[in-house]
Amino acid sequence: DAGITQSPRHKVTETGTPVTLRCHQTENHRYMYWYRQDPGHGLRLIHYSYGVKDTDKGEVSDGYSVSRSKTEDFLLTLESATSSQTSVYFCAISETGARGELFFGEGSRLTVL
Amino acid sequence: EDQVTQSPEALRLQEGESSSLNCSYTVSGLRGLFWYRQDPGKGPEFLFTLYSAGEEKEKERLKATLTKKESFLHITAPKPEDSATYLCAVNQAGTALIFGKGTTLSVSS
């Protein structure tokens, strides 16, 4: 199994509080992605990274920011969480980007009350 | 406008009852179509990549095919352990995958 660890796996927070989700990989893959998965919407891309300090927006990036200061870590931050950001968040990594296979983490379930 | 549409949303089969899942796409310049399997509470797991019309890939009871407008995931003589959500995704612009909403398959013994 690809070495991907997401933390925390579960979090309950209140509206307006900041939240940071962490994705850590041990595969030294160049590309890292954050997706959210919601019933009726499937997996939607939030942000992705194609190298250290190189990131770009995805389909649903509003309200989210990311940072990648090291190859192995990709952080997703909700500056001020809203109830619409209640979701399951998945991190994925890839050696070749979207041309090849993505390896997914186990997911982080976030509930914003 | 959805770029990747999967049907049906849900499918119930008896063990041994073969069937197919459909993934239709409207993207231009397809750079790869991917099938993933997702078990409850888990992240998606890669199954196949198809790059050109006419291409086929097989793995155990699963076979994926690709045309210019759609892909099929054929399941032959399914078993209960094949129960999962199957996701289709396409690579359009080369940066990230666009996923469909998935087909949830339930196989009963």
Side-chain angles (χ1 to χ4, degrees):
Chain A
D1 291 345
I4 311 171
T5 305
Q6 291 186 229
S7 60
R9 294 290 315 280
H10 301 273
K11 185 173 183 66
V12 179
T13 191
E14 295 194 349
T15 299
T17 60
V19 176
T20 296
L21 305 180
R22 179 182 184 234
C23 178
H24 178 78
Q25 61 148 330
T26 57
E27 305 296 323
N28 200 36
H29 284 350
R30 176 182 176 187
Y31 297 86
M32 298 186 76
Y33 304 84
W34 278 108
Y35 285 89
R36 61 178 289 177
Q37 188 172 40
D38 305 287
H41 289 279
L43 278 163
R44 292 179 292 174
L45 181 66
I46 305 171
H47 281 279
Y48 67 97
S49 170
Y50 48 96
V52 173
K53 297 186 179 179
D54 292 323
T55 64
D56 206 347
K57 297 178 179 180
E59 176 189 3
V60 291
S61 60
D62 287 348
Y64 302 94
S65 62
V66 291
S67 65
R68 191 171 178 197
S69 59
K70 300 184 290 184
T71 298
E72 57 266 35
D73 289 325
F74 192 33
L75 303 181
L76 177 70
T77 298
L78 292 65
E79 299 291 345
S80 178
T82 67
S83 58
S84 65
Q85 294 175 312
T86 292
S87 186
V88 179
Y89 292 85
F90 286 99
C91 174
I93 63 173
S94 173
E95 196 169 17
T96 57
R99 298 188 303 276
E101 178 181 352
L102 296 187
F103 298 94
F104 283 84
E106 294 287 280
S108 295
R109 181 175 294 276
L110 175 67
T111 302
V112 184
L113 302 176
Chain B
E1 178 185 341
D2 286 349
Q3 296 174 290
V4 182
T5 304
Q6 292 189 245
S7 62
E9 290 186 15
L11 181 63
R12 291 184 178 272
L13 299 174
Q14 291 290 319
E15 185 172 4
E17 179 185 4
S18 301
S19 187
S20 297
L21 312 182
N22 177 264
C23 172
S24 63
Y25 58 92
T26 57
V27 297
S28 59
L30 182 71
R31 300 184 185 185
L33 185 140
F34 299 77
W35 282 98
Y36 285 81
R37 169 189 171 129
Q38 186 174 23
D39 293 304
K42 302 287 188 180
E45 181 180 334
F46 173 78
L47 291 173
F48 305 108
T49 308
L50 302 165
Y51 289 104
S52 56
E55 189 174 359
E56 299 182 352
K57 294 274 181 74
E58 286 189 64
K59 180 179 180 179
E60 296 180 354
R61 296 175 292 281
L62 300 177
K63 178 180 173 181
T65 62
L66 181 65
T67 71
K68 289 187 177 180
K69 293 185 177 182
E70 59 191 349
S71 176
F72 291 93
L73 184 65
H74 306 277
I75 303 176
T76 302
K79 297 182 178 181
E81 52 262 42
D82 294 323
S83 298
T85 296
Y86 291 86
L87 303 173
C88 170
V90 298
N91 173 5
Q92 178 190 16
T95 53
L97 297 185
I98 303 170
F99 282 83
K101 296 177 183 178
T103 294
T104 299
L105 174 66
S106 299
V107 182
S108 55
S109 56

